Amino acid sequence: MTQASAAPRAARRRHDREIVALAVPAFGALVAEPLFVLADSAIVGHLGTAQLAGLGVASALLMTAVGVFVFLAYATTAAVARRVGAGDLRAAIRQGMDGIWLALLIGAAVIAAALPTAPSLMDLFGASDTAAPYATTYLRISAFGIPAMLVVLAATGILRGLQDTKTPLYVAVGGFVANAVLNVVLVYGVGLGIAGSAWGTVIAQCGMAAVYLYVVIRGARQHGASLRPDATGIRACAQAGTPLLVRTLSLRAILLIATAVAARLGDADMAAHQIILSLWSLLAFALDAIAIAGQAIIGRYLGADDAQGAREACRRMVQWGLVTGVVLGLLVIVARPLFLPLFSGDPGVRDAALPALVMVAVSQPVCGIVFVLDGVLMGAGDGPYLAWAMLLTLAVFAPVALLVPLLGGGLTALWGAMTLMMTMRLVTLWLRSRSGRWIVTGATR
């Protein structure tokens, strides 16, 4: 082996070690989030189809209320990682604390908006008369856990930026176990029904936030970083996250449109959609583990002024994303007959879900590349491009999805529209990655 051929192989092995060290723990932590919804779906699903359909609408709205502010994690990861690459840990943690204070402010505002508008939101998104009361109950109770959920996002971003994905894994596993146990006890043991499921999730999320705050505060004291709220820093954090907020709002609009369309197809299709969406979220978060590694690694390389290292890491992570997507797609095909009975005994729900799951399986290789490139560009702080790209994707998806009830394509056609959406994202992200315009080095972008 010549020295010239050995160097690229050594670089690939180095990138592989970095990706595995960050992505494997991140995978466990990311999977725990949709597992919260899956556990709720499995427990509530056996209460009845109307309860599961209500959970589907309410959880979609709840995930939107929290998910639109995912920039608290993603922007924080990129900013902290750049500071780490530049060797300034004190500034890195201080920047992360601004994100936590912003999370608390946003959480209070979301609670104030969600409580009085819950019934109207159920009507807006097409919940049936039988499902709407359950959806309203679940949403109103779960709203009290939103500040804790946002703190978890911001604190997770700090630790990822510090190249620590193991602590979020431990917290996520503990939170999932607590959530599952509390749901069973409160739903069936205490007899609270769907309200018990909501309270179980709120308690688990508050416990997770408390653990994260302890870890971050301890780190801040070790490095002499201030814990006090800083208006200038909070405002700068909000401004930096605005493009990612636009990007995430567009993505959430896509998911809400899909849920609204499914709700108008009937309770059986809505229940099937809830099951499929929970699985799709699980697969998406699994693929996003590589993207999380990308955010941390790319941010660190760019902060250390290593543009070539960033390019090589991007190339290798795309390869990982493609292979992982193929494997997940095959698993979905094989596991379809075993997966559905866990969530519903209704034959109508199963019949609606089976063909739609094929569309989910086919789209996984595309999803693998999309999530990786999304993470790379976030790690580079390329938020404005991500915002415009997602707005374009929304403009393509919305009319196609809204035609599904009119054309009679059913749930399978709706998930075909979702596959079109992911393909559109692939095109926009691939063009940007090839241009190299995302590569900007330094401690700040």
Side-chain angles (χ1 to χ4, degrees):
M1 182 185 300
T2 64
Q3 184 175 358
S5 63
R9 291 189 180 184
R12 284 195 298 271
R13 286 195 296 269
R14 183 179 71 253
H15 291 308
D16 287 346
R17 286 193 297 269
E18 289 181 328
I19 293 168
V20 169
L22 291 171
V24 171
F27 170 80
L30 288 166
V31 164
E33 182 172 339
L35 282 178
F36 271 64
V37 180
L38 280 172
D40 290 357
S41 298
I43 294 168
V44 171
H46 291 286
L47 293 173
T49 299
Q51 287 91 331
L52 182 58
L55 173 65
V57 177
S59 63
L61 289 167
L62 182 65
M63 290 173 67
T64 298
V66 175
V68 294
F69 302 113
V70 75
F71 72 84
L72 291 167
Y74 292 160
T76 302
T77 297
V80 171
R82 278 185 178 265
R83 296 285 190 181
V84 170
D88 192 348
L89 290 177
R90 180 178 179 179
I93 296 176
R94 174 62 257 182
Q95 194 157 10
M97 285 303 305
D98 292 334
I100 288 178
W101 283 110
L102 179 61
L104 290 170
L105 293 173
I106 293 172
V110 173
I111 289 179
L115 292 179
T117 60
S120 299
L121 289 172
M122 296 309 107
D123 293 337
L124 178 63
F125 289 97
S128 68
D129 291 339
T130 54
Y134 298 111
T136 301
T137 297
Y138 190 90
L139 181 62
R140 278 180 164 164
I141 295 172
S142 296
F144 289 104
I146 288 176
M149 296 179 193
L150 297 183
V151 167
V152 167
L153 286 178
T156 300
I158 296 173
L159 295 179
R160 289 173 182 167
L162 293 171
Q163 317 293 296
D164 175 10
T165 56
K166 290 183 180 180
T167 299
L169 170 60
Y170 302 146
V171 177
V173 170
F176 168 72
V177 172
N179 177 68
V181 171
L182 287 167
N183 267 256
V184 172
V185 171
L186 296 176
V187 172
Y188 295 109
V190 181
L192 295 179
I194 196 169
S197 176
W199 280 118
T201 301
V202 169
I203 295 169
Q205 292 284 359
C206 289
M208 293 171 66
V211 174
Y212 272 120
L213 287 174
Y214 170 78
V215 173
V216 173
I217 290 171
R218 184 183 61 184
R221 288 174 175 170
Q222 287 176 349
H223 294 284
S226 174
L227 298 173
R228 295 179 180 178
D230 175 59
T232 301
I234 294 172
R235 186 166 52 251
C237 183
Q239 291 172 347
T242 298
L244 288 182
L245 176 61
V246 173
R247 169 256 181 206
T248 304
L249 281 171
S250 301
L251 177 58
R252 289 295 167 180
I254 288 170
L255 298 179
L256 286 175
I257 289 170
T259 298
V261 170
R264 284 165 173 78
L265 297 176
D267 279 0
D269 277 351
M270 181 61 230
H273 178 74
Q274 167 61 17
I275 294 170
I276 296 171
L277 187 61
S278 297
L279 175 63
W280 189 81
S281 298
L282 174 63
L283 298 173
F285 279 107
L287 291 169
D288 211 24
I290 306 172
I292 294 302
Q295 291 175 31
I297 293 171
I298 294 297
R300 193 188 73 235
Y301 274 123
L302 294 178
D305 295 323
D306 188 354
Q308 183 59 31
R311 290 190 186 93
E312 292 174 355
C314 174
R315 188 179 306 114
R316 191 58 175 166
M317 282 182 283
V318 167
Q319 295 170 357
W320 275 74
L322 176 60
V323 172
T324 304
V326 171
V327 171
L328 290 177
L330 292 174
L331 287 175
V332 170
I333 293 293
V334 172
R336 279 187 310 154
L338 303 175
F339 175 77
L340 290 174
L342 296 174
F343 297 94
S344 178
D346 188 335
V349 173
R350 296 186 192 181
D351 291 343
L354 273 171
L357 281 172
V358 175
M359 299 302 302
V360 173
V362 169
S363 69
Q364 289 311 294
V366 172
C367 293
I369 300 175
V370 166
F371 281 103
V372 166
L373 290 178
D374 206 37
V376 166
L377 297 184
M378 285 183 189
D382 201 14
Y385 180 83
L386 291 172
W388 285 110
M390 192 59 76
L391 284 170
L392 177 61
T393 301
L394 172 61
V396 172
F397 169 80
V400 175
L402 293 173
L403 284 173
V404 169
L406 299 176
L407 299 178
L411 196 63
T412 303
L414 175 60
W415 278 92
M418 291 287 285
T419 301
L420 172 65
M421 178 270 294
M422 294 303 297
T423 303
M424 186 68 190
R425 291 186 68 190
L426 174 63
V427 172
T428 57
L429 295 175
W430 182 260
L431 290 174
R432 185 63 168 183
S433 69
R434 295 285 293 176
S435 73
R437 295 176 182 175
W438 54 277
I439 300 176
V440 178
T441 60
T444 58
R445 184 178 171 92

